[in-house]
Each structure stands twice: as structure tokens, then as C-alpha cells.
Amino acid sequence: MAAIVEGRICRQSIVSDFVPGESSFDCSFSDGVRSIRSSKAFGRSLGMERTGIIRAGISCFSMRHFSLGKSGDRKSYRNGRSFSEVQHGNGTAVSAASALSELVPDSKRETLGCDLPRYDASKKSHVDLVVVGAGPAGLAVAKQVSEAGLNVCCVDPRPQTIWPNNYGVWVDEFEAMGLLDCLDTTWGSAAVYIDEKTTKYLKRPYGRVDRRRLKYKMMDQCIANGVKFHQANATSVIHEEHRSFVLCNDGLSIEADLVLDATGFSRCLVKYDKPYNPGYQIAYGIIAEVDGHPFALDKMVFMDWRDSHLHSNPILRSSNRKLPTFLYAMPFSADRIFLEETSLVARPGVPMEEIKRRLVHRLRHLGINVKRVEEDEKCVIPMGGPLPVIPQSVLGIGGTAGMVHPSTGYMVARALAAAPILANAIVQTLAKSDRSRGDDISAEIWRDLWPLDRRRQREFFCFGMDILLMLDLDGTRRFFDAFF
């Protein structure tokens, strides 16, 4: 029987490919990132609705540093000085950005420490489904398919590592999915600063996802359902007429009826046949201990498009007027806050170091002195681009399946909501008595995931992204003034 081999190494150093002037770094792939909605006519035509916006969704690259040590243990990154003491050395944006970097602690991976049931390589057991990737969407599908009594194996190089992203969601979305216990902080409303004179308030509760609790809950459900885990990188898949084999970098081959690629934008196994030219949402953020900040504790800051902090730097101000960035902030207390500078969408992406410099200027203008950085994150979020080959033998969900919203990004809640649709299609297809149809099995599931009308809708969303790519700061402000 003829066999088809496809796949590539899943982990890449990717920032230099996306953002001019950036050095490569090793990234974690997860299922998450951002979404925008509006009630206005243009917003509705782009698949938006009022008060959904930016933060946490599908296919986000994030590199995160964090510290779990005592607050006084700052020797490795403070050198005895606070951010304000260092940044006023010569007053330049570059030196201030370097000063902020000095406060970032050494990287350390946070893990769950669960007793995972392992796939028994010695038995080489056949499974119904192999899920490649232990992000939110991958685990959600694994959990729901295994609930139906099917055998599932999840392959991931670090299955117990906590996801690096800072996810934010609307409280009602997580409530509808029974995940309220996975929010560690909530705010009663959100603020949008259009400019220095106009502020709008979104009266919809917003929450920050407790990454550890969410992953533990999903892993615990998978374990209870009998999901097995294999700690390795999936490098390729071989398709035969009646079965597939997932090949791992440790030499193991896992036989399955179906294979699901849930590796985010790394697109480990899913095939594409068209050039990839997306827009990019770029963000740099920190969770910091500060002397104080000007934000109310009962509101999070959805978007702050004000640019008065750049008036003293004509170069940064000019570049910001062409390719604007905004502040996204979650105040946890009077002296602890998450602060992130974000470029909504650009092609090519705004350089990460410039975004960091803009954040430093903004913090200085707001009078925020950073005493200690708990963690920082660099996010590169691809938006738009072509869909994968449809149908194909490998299934996909989230970023790897082209599900990131082309003009807005994609929320983690939406990813979790899509998982039952895919899981139900898998269960129903495998429940049929005849499993010997080869590619026809996955073709049915792809049709459920991407029906023709949804593909046409996505093409229009790509048009929306092209509109957003043309907006300067003034145009962006006018858009969001109408948006809300």
C-alpha cells in the first residue's frame, strides 16, 4: 500500500521571520489570542459585535520570563536599582528600554507536576485519535472525544508546562462554559481611551484567566477520561489507506485512525499550498510591582490610544502616527499591574524593540515607576493568510487550521467553544461502522469545520484586515470611536 509522509519540526525560532530587526528566540506555541467585535455596520460585516475585543485567543507565539522567588530576591536583574533610577541615566528611549530589561528575571518554566498516564510504547497500541499539542483547544478536543469512550493519545514535548500567555476574557463567555473558577481576577467594566479628550466605558465584566487552574482542570478531565500522554515532538505523519502513523522525535510511532494538529501557528503537520503573507499583531507586556498607577481598580484598560507620552520624541511620535500602538492594562492592586503595548495589525509587524520603547515612554509619562518585573511576554500573532489545504488527512483546530480571525484576532473562549463542534464530528464519523475509507473520514470532518459559507465569510474578513492595515492613528481613533 502506498504511504504518504508529511510534517516538519514543530518548534522554530520565529520572531526574526516576522518582525524586522528582531533576533530569534525559542517560542511556546499555544491556542490563544485576540478578538475584536462591534455593533456598527462595518463591524458586523467583519463578524464583530459590541464590546468583544483584543486579548487572548488562537495561535499566539509568546516568550515569557517569570520569577517565583521572594520579592526581595532581585539581585540577578535589579542590580540594586529601580526602573526610575536607571531610566533617568541619560534620558533616551533606548537606555530606558534597557533599564526595563534589567528588571526582567531569568526565565523559568512553571509546570503542573501531575502524575500523567503515559502511552505505553512497548504495546504500540492503536488509538482512535492522536492530538498533537496540549494547548487549550487540543486538550478540549481530547477531553470531549475521550468522554465518548474513544481512545485518545496527546503528544506534546512539555505537556505539563503552564501556558505562557496572559489570557483575558469576557466573564459571561467563561461562565457559559462552566469555567468561572478559572478566573483569578475580574473587573466590572473596561475603559477605552480614544484620545486625550474621549474615553468610553464598556459595561461588561472582564476577567483574567488563571493559567495554572485552567490547564490543571483540563488535564484532570482528560486523565479521568483515560487520555494517554506521550512527551515528545511529533515530527511527521505517515498516511496509509486505513490508518495513520504519527512519528515522534524519540523514534516512537503511534498508530491512529485520525490525527489532529493543535500546535497553533507552528502548523506542525497540517499542509498549506499557498504563499503565507499575514498581518501581525505584536505585543510586549509585563506583570510588574510598581510604586503606583493612575488606573481605577474596578476597571481594566481595554485600549489606550493616547499619544501625549510621545510628544517629546518626534521620531517615535511620527512612527506611532503611521503604525499606532495602544496600551492594554489589568490593574490587580494599587502596586501590581499587567501592562502591555500592542500593535493591532501591521504588515510587516512593528519591531518588538520599538514597541518596548513606546511602552517605556508611556509608563514614564503616566508616572509609573516599575520596581520589579514578575514576568514579561513577547507576542507575535499572525492574522489572515490562506486556509490550509481542505480537505487533507490531518485534522486541525485553532491557528493551525486557519481559524484566527483575519481582521481582529481570536479569543481563547472562541477556541474552546469550537472544540465541541470538532469533537462531535470526530465521534460521529468514527462511530460509523465502515472506517476503511481512508481520506474520506477526515474529509467529512474538514467539511464540518470549514463549510463553503464559512470560507466565503473568512475571505470577507480578510478584506476587513486589509482596511485596518491602511489606518493611521487618526483613522484608527475614528474607527474605534464608532466601534464602541
Side-chain angles (χ1 to χ4, degrees), residues 36-112:
I36 297 179
R37 308 180 190 175
S38 171
S39 62
K40 304 301 180 181
F42 181 68
R44 285 196 301 269
S45 70
L46 297 181
M48 306 174 185
E49 59 187 68
R50 185 172 172 80
T51 72
I53 198 163
I54 307 300
R55 198 64 247 152
I58 298 248
S59 191
C60 170
F61 292 104
S62 174
M63 185 177 85
R64 181 164 67 97
H65 300 277
F66 55 94
S67 171
L68 299 178
K70 297 178 181 179
S71 59
D73 184 17
R74 303 170 186 170
K75 182 177 180 181
S76 63
Y77 54 94
R78 285 196 62 190
N79 295 321
R81 295 184 291 173
S82 70
F83 172 56
S84 63
E85 291 173 322
V86 180
Q87 72 165 328
H88 290 109
N90 62 22
T92 67
V94 174
S95 64
S98 298
L100 183 62
S101 297
E102 286 185 27
L103 300 180
V104 177
D106 294 334
S107 178
K108 181 179 179 181
R109 297 189 186 280
E110 187 180 2
T111 60
L112 288 178

Side-chain angles (χ1 to χ4, degrees), residues 139-426:
L139 290 180
V141 174
K143 175 246 181 186
Q144 291 169 69
V145 170
S146 59
E147 273 182 353
L150 298 180
N151 296 319
V152 179
C153 177
C154 181
V155 177
D156 190 280
R158 295 182 300 274
Q160 299 207 58
T161 298
I162 306 301
W163 303 311
N165 314 83
N166 280 283
Y167 295 131
V169 297
W170 298 114
V171 171
D172 56 85
E173 292 178 324
F174 258 40
E175 182 178 19
M177 293 184 286
L179 295 174
L180 277 181
D181 60 329
C182 294
L183 300 178
D184 60 19
T185 311
T186 60
W187 297 267
S189 60
V192 177
Y193 296 90
I194 302 298
D195 53 31
E196 276 70 21
K197 297 180 179 179
T198 306
T199 305
K200 300 196 173 187
Y201 297 100
L202 312 179
K203 296 181 179 180
R204 188 181 181 188
Y206 194 83
R208 177 179 182 258
V209 175
D210 185 323
R211 299 168 300 208
R212 168 176 281 275
R213 190 174 300 171
L214 178 61
K215 178 140 191 181
Y216 180 84
K217 183 172 185 174
M218 299 182 76
M219 291 285 281
D220 188 55
Q221 291 170 332
C222 286
I223 292 170
N225 293 341
V227 175
K228 300 296 190 293
F229 292 84
H230 183 63
Q231 188 168 341
N233 279 304
T235 57
S236 61
V237 59
I238 298 175
H239 300 293
E240 295 184 351
E241 186 175 357
H242 306 308
R243 58 186 176 176
S244 297
F245 295 89
V246 176
L247 306 183
C248 302
N249 64 340
D250 60 357
L252 182 66
S253 172
I254 304 175
E255 180 184 341
D257 286 325
L258 289 172
V259 178
L260 173 65
D261 185 346
T263 58
F265 182 65
S266 63
R267 298 182 293 166
C268 178
L269 302 175
V270 166
K271 295 186 297 184
Y272 283 70
D273 63 355
K274 295 180 181 178
Y276 193 74
N277 187 31
Y280 293 100
Q281 192 169 107
I282 313 293
Y284 177 76
I286 58 174
I287 294 181
E289 177 188 331
V290 298
D291 285 332
H293 59 76
F295 303 115
L297 297 182
D298 62 343
K299 299 179 182 64
M300 63 84 57
V301 179
F302 231 16
M303 287 180 154
D304 185 348
W305 292 103
R306 294 177 293 183
D307 69 339
S308 54
H309 58 291
L310 297 177
H311 287 185
S312 63
N313 190 311
I315 296 176
L316 281 182
R317 188 184 185 192
S318 175
S319 64
N320 186 69
R321 296 201 69 83
K322 296 174 183 176
L323 296 172
T325 57
F326 64 91
L327 177 69
Y328 170 92
M330 294 187 284
F332 306 120
S333 67
D335 59 2
R336 185 171 179 267
I337 187 170
F338 176 71
L339 301 155
E340 186 159 74
E341 193 77 16
T342 302
S343 165
L344 178 59
V345 62
R347 184 195 291 138
V350 178
M352 189 73 71
E353 286 304 311
E354 175 157 342
I355 288 182
K356 185 184 293 188
R357 287 195 293 271
R358 293 184 191 183
L359 175 63
V360 166
H361 271 273
R362 192 187 294 273
L363 299 186
R364 179 188 295 170
H365 181 76
L366 292 172
I368 298 176
N369 174 43
V370 178
K371 297 168 60 179
R372 183 174 73 95
V373 175
E374 293 181 18
E375 64 183 56
D376 77 341
E377 66 177 24
K378 298 178 181 179
C379 296
V380 179
I381 303 159
M383 298 166 64
L387 285 172
V389 175
I390 298 177
Q392 59 179 289
S393 298
V394 174
L395 304 174
I397 190 172
T400 197
M403 294 174 66
V404 177
H405 195 298
S407 61
T408 68
Y410 198 78
M411 294 181 72
V412 65
R414 190 175 176 185
L416 296 176
I421 299 173
L422 178 60
N424 185 60
I426 291 172

